């Protein structure tokens, strides 16, 4: 027997039953992005590895351990993108979008990280990502957070709460880094290998360690909040005032440092208690230094990304609705003549009733088998076309749900009849006939 090729660990197939939740998330998100004047940008999945090293930071888990890299034809190193921000900044610079301009952008797509897969953590996962360039004040920070809060409301998602922190400017963080280095050096014997390496490279990253043995040491470390510079404090207070005014609840978490190096000032995370240990559903922050760091003209910037797998799980667990996708009308075509005419008649109904979901039983099986499939399909009505019906210029319409008896319907009135029959059971507005036809 031929051997089956196994799927890759941490890379999921999204089957049709699941895909309709994704479609709902995506369509709601696109509508919300449009409400805030965010425009779509699409960037490559593959970039030079150097881009991510420079943007995300050499000592981060992502760059140290998780990137999927491959060799380019000329020997250079390429990487599958582990996140969206670096590529969008690269694209904004490459395309000259950042000369005294402001942009609100979003992208939707797969990201790749070689993490240990578990519930809510995958090697190919998907992000909805929003980024704003050219806005300096805390009002854009607030608006981005309001936009994410609106998304939760539109999706019917509760059980998420917001955590905030400020990382200060590059300068104040550099000063804090030295304070931290001193603290962890004094406890060097208690550190693990990763942390010892980071002590030299970037001691801030130790705060991000997931090693439970270090939790106590990290909890007692000096706090960034005590080393914040004045303008950053003002910025943070401005953001908090706007969130308070908008009625958005949050907690300030001074240990929130984020797993990527490019952040400055505001960082935030929406977390949930509904998904186990992978509790961050949407995270982001300001990265005012990144554009310059990647060779562009100085441009303030901020954004967030939401993990689509995690949000889909939340939608399912918290009872949000997915759009209906079962057929409403099922065409049973009995005999060769009906099979040929059926296609054409179904096309005419589709023309006349846009939005009506019609499944046509193709392939010429026996009448009984077709009827069984019609019953199982979830459709509201079956349309039966046999030689006898065609000879009389009618179709037999049989209600499958909602009661009623089978009736003959003249073919030229079929579309209107089906629109009425489906709307009567599925609810008004689900299948209205196009008035122009
Ligand atoms: P991040 O925190 O690394 O930030 O990822 C953002 C979100 O992606 C997380 O909150 C989580 O929901 C989801 N996520 C991350 N890794 C995985 C995984 N292995 N499996 C499933 N979901 C995952 C960023 O990526 C930044 N680029 C966010 C940002 C945009 N900051 C500014 N602009």
């Amino acid at each position: 027997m031929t051997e089956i090729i196994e799927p890759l660990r941490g890379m999921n197939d999204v089957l049709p039953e699941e895909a309709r939740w994704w479609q709902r998330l995506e369509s709601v998100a696109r509508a919300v992005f449009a409400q805030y004047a965010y425009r779509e940008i699409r960037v490559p999945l593959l970039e030079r590895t150097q881009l991510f090293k420079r943007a995300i930071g050499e000592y981060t888990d992502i760059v140290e351990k998780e990137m999927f890299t491959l060799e380019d034809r000329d020997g250079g190193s390429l990487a599958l993108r582990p996140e969206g921000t670096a590529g969008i900044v690269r694209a904004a610079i490459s395309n000259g979008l950042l000369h005294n301009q402001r942009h609100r952008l979003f992208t939707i797509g797969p990201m790749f990280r070689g993490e240990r897969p578990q519930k809510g953590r995958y090697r190919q996962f998907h992000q909805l990502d929003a980024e704003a360039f050219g806005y300096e004040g805390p009002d854009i920070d607030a608006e981005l957070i309001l936009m994410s809060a609106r998304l939760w409301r539109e999706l019917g998602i509760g059980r998420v709460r917001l955590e905030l922190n400020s990382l200060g400017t590059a300068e104040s963080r550099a000063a804090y880094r030295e304070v931290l280095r001193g603290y962890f050096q004094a406890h060097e014997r208690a550190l693990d290998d990763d942390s010892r390496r980071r002590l030299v490279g970037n001691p801030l990253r130790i705060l991000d360690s997931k090693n439970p043995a270090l939790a106590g040491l990290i909890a007692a470390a000096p706090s960034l909040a005590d080393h914040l510079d004045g303008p950053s404090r003002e910025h943070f207070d401005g953001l908090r005032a706007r969130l308070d005014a908008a009625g958005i609840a949050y907690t300030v978490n001074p240990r929130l440092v984020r797993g990527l190096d490019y952040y400055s000032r505001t960082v935030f995370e929406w977390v949930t208690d509904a998904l186990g240990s992978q509790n961050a559903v949407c995270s982001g922050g300001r990265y005012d230094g990144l554009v310059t760091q990647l060779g562009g003209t100085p441009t303030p910037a901020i954004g967030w990304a939401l993990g689509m797998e995690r949000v889909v799980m939340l939608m399912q667990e918290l009872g949000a609705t997915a759009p209906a996708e079962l057929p409403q009308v099922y065409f049973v075509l009995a005999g060769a003549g009906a099979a040929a005419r059926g296609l054409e008649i179904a096309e005419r109904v589709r023309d006349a009733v846009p939005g009506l979901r019609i499944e046509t039983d193709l392939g010429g099986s026996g009448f009984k088998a077709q009827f069984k499939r019609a019953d199982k399909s979830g459709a509201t009505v079956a349309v039966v076309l046999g030689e006898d019906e065609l000879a009389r210029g009618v179709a037999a319409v049989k209600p499958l749900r909602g009661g009623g008896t089978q009736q003959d319907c003249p073919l030229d009135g079929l579309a209107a009849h089906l629109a009425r029959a489906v709307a009567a059971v599925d609810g008004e507005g689900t299948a209205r006939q196009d008035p122009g036809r």
Side-chain angles (χ1 to χ4, degrees):
M1 235 179 48
T2 313
E3 201 184 318
I4 292 173
I5 296 173
E6 297 294 333
L8 294 173
R9 243 162 68 79
M11 308 225 170
N12 301 315
D13 303 308
V14 178
L15 302 180
E17 184 52 36
E18 186 88 353
R20 64 203 179 101
W21 294 91
W22 287 74
Q23 286 165 10
R24 166 133 180 94
L25 169 55
E26 232 182 276
S27 68
V28 169
R30 282 179 185 279
V32 169
F33 285 141
Q35 282 187 292
Y36 290 81
Y38 277 70
R39 298 193 305 158
E40 185 171 10
I41 182 168
R42 301 185 185 196
V43 296
L45 302 193
L46 208 55
E47 297 272 3
R48 293 180 200 288
T49 306
Q50 191 58 25
L51 170 67
F52 302 115
K53 282 194 178 162
R54 252 213 262 165
I56 299 169
E58 295 264 4
Y59 295 95
T60 56
D61 277 351
I62 298 179
V63 167
E64 277 188 338
K65 305 175 191 165
E66 297 170 358
M67 282 209 290
F68 286 100
T69 55
L70 58 115
E71 198 176 295
D72 198 0
R73 287 146 198 263
D74 63 7
S77 176
L78 306 179
L80 280 170
R81 63 182 189 191
E83 57 109 47
T85 311
I88 292 178
V89 172
R90 198 269 313 130
I93 297 171
S94 315
N95 294 285
L97 302 189
L98 297 178
H99 302 300
N100 289 321
Q101 298 170 57
R102 299 162 136 199
H103 293 280
R104 287 178 168 94
L105 304 172
F106 76 88
T107 201
I108 304 179
M111 309 292 159
F112 303 85
R113 295 183 194 175
E115 299 192 73
R116 193 129 50 89
Q118 54 170 262
K119 182 182 171 190
R121 189 165 75 194
Y122 309 103
R123 291 184 169 173
Q124 175 175 324
F125 62 99
H126 297 75
Q127 285 184 346
L128 275 165
D129 180 308
E131 312 285 356
F133 294 99
Y135 301 87
E136 204 157 359
D139 37 8
I140 191 78
D141 309 29
E143 192 190 68
L144 266 164
I145 290 174
L146 290 176
M147 181 164 80
S148 53
R150 182 176 299 277
L151 196 53
W152 309 139
R153 286 200 301 280
E154 298 281 323
L155 290 169
I157 287 179
R159 275 177 80 178
V160 285
R161 52 179 197 83
L162 179 63
E163 294 195 347
L164 286 186
N165 194 19
S166 176
L167 301 182
T169 58
E171 294 73 35
S172 65
R173 218 171 35 261
Y176 172 61
R177 214 172 5 241
E178 290 320 306
V179 174
L180 262 193
R181 187 171 278 131
Y183 170 79
F184 284 118
Q185 250 158 7
H187 297 87
E188 195 169 349
R189 292 226 326 268
L191 297 179
D192 57 18
D193 287 349
D194 270 355
S195 301
R196 244 175 246 131
R197 204 153 17 91
R198 288 168 179 190
L199 183 58
V200 184
N202 183 1
L204 261 162
R205 285 269 73 88
I206 302 176
L207 298 180
D208 202 34
S209 165
K210 286 158 197 125
N211 182 351
L214 297 182
L217 191 61
I218 289 171
S223 173
L224 182 56
D226 300 330
H227 296 82
L228 212 54
D229 58 288
S232 293
R233 167 137 330 269
E234 228 170 81
H235 187 102
F236 196 48
D237 291 344
L239 167 60
R240 293 180 59 175
R242 284 164 178 81
L243 293 179
D244 292 339
I248 301 282
Y250 56 83
T251 46
V252 174
N253 174 1
R255 295 282 167 228
L256 180 65
V257 291
R258 307 278 297 120
L260 306 91
D261 276 353
Y262 50 59
Y263 292 110
S264 54
R265 296 200 167 155
T266 310
V267 288
F268 56 90
E269 235 165 48
W270 288 95
V271 293
T272 180
D273 61 4
L275 296 180
S277 61
Q278 300 309 308
N279 66 349
V281 288
C282 174
S283 349
R286 190 165 266 285
Y287 48 94
D288 290 340
L290 182 58
V291 175
T292 341
Q293 208 176 303
L294 294 178
T297 44
T299 309
I302 177 167
W304 54 244
L306 154 173
M308 294 179 75
E309 281 79 1
R310 295 181 192 179
V311 173
V312 163
M313 282 197 280
L314 274 187
M315 289 165 69
Q316 292 170 337
E317 287 189 23
L318 303 180
T321 48
E325 56 158 19
L326 298 174
Q328 295 162 306
V329 175
Y330 198 99
F331 271 61
V332 171
L333 309 174
R341 286 290 308 284
L343 273 186
E344 171 206 323
I345 293 168
E347 279 302 281
R348 268 199 273 138
V349 177
R350 288 191 183 98
D351 286 342
V353 194
L356 188 64
R357 299 188 298 276
I358 302 174
E359 181 167 344
T360 306
D361 195 303
L362 302 177
S365 339
F367 184 76
K368 256 192 165 166
Q370 293 197 43
F371 233 100
K372 244 190 190 161
R373 282 199 287 260
D375 259 337
K376 271 177 82 176
S377 72
T380 310
V381 288
V383 172
V384 184
L385 284 173
E387 307 298 334
D388 169 54
E389 282 81 11
L390 286 179
R392 291 188 289 127
V394 300
V397 178
K398 182 172 195 278
L400 297 173
R401 296 192 293 123
T405 49
Q406 180 167 325
Q407 268 181 298
D408 280 350
C409 174
L411 288 178
D412 54 9
L414 182 63
H417 183 96
L418 291 175
R420 272 197 310 276
V422 166
V425 177
D426 293 3
E428 212 47 66
T430 46
R432 231 172 297 123
Q433 188 174 14
D434 185 342
R437 290 178 197 262

